[in-house]
Amino acid sequence: MQPTDDHFGEQVAATYDESAAAMFAPSVVDPAVDFLAEAAGAGPALEFGVGTGRIALPLAARGVRVHGIDSAPAMVARLRAKPGGDTVGATVWKGYSDISSHGDPTAGTDSDAARRKETRGAPIPGRRGLRRIE
């Protein structure tokens, strides 16, 4: 399934943080950021669906180098406009909207394999689906 261009367009992005305020509450965000900061250790973090930076910004504020990927340019623009937004790398990728449904995550092009080799992605023990990139 390909994402639609307007699903998280400017109209949604303009009010996303306010409309999802409960998800931005410190009681929700802080435990997630605590866990992710510990999992990242001294390494970087990659967030899929970075959106407006709900997790990426506080994680970067703790000194973790963060890069996010999202399919919505308007959401990424909101992230970049926030204080600290310049500390989070962000890529707008118009690829698959649900990467979990596309089989073997290690399959791909030769350039994908080269990037994986360069980053030496290794599974984090006991954390299904999380990889430490060093």
Side-chain angles (χ1 to χ4, degrees):
M1 171 193 309
Q2 292 290 335
T4 60
D5 288 337
D6 62 350
H7 183 71
F8 284 102
E10 183 54 39
Q11 187 173 4
V12 172
T15 60
Y16 182 79
D17 290 7
E18 294 79 18
S19 68
M23 292 189 330
F24 285 78
S27 62
V28 175
V29 172
D30 292 349
V33 172
D34 290 342
F35 169 80
L36 293 169
E38 183 178 334
L46 175 63
E47 183 180 0
F48 290 93
V50 70
T52 64
R54 178 176 73 98
I55 301 297
L57 288 170
L59 191 58
R62 294 206 191 169
V64 176
R65 190 168 40 116
V66 179
H67 192 93
I69 298 174
D70 205 292
S71 64
M75 299 288 275
V76 171
R78 296 286 170 164
L79 159 67
R80 289 180 175 150
K82 289 181 177 180
D86 60 338
T87 66
V88 175
T91 299
V92 174
W93 182 54
K94 290 293 192 176
Y96 295 116
S97 62
D98 181 3
I99 63 170
S100 65
S101 67
H102 295 284
D104 181 359
T106 62
T109 65
D110 289 340
S111 62
D112 292 336
R115 278 192 296 276
R116 283 193 304 277
K117 183 176 180 183
E118 288 172 12
T119 58
R120 293 187 272 296
I124 298 174
R127 304 292 186 221
R128 184 174 168 225
L130 294 179
R131 291 190 176 270
R132 178 169 290 130
I133 300 174
E134 300 179 46

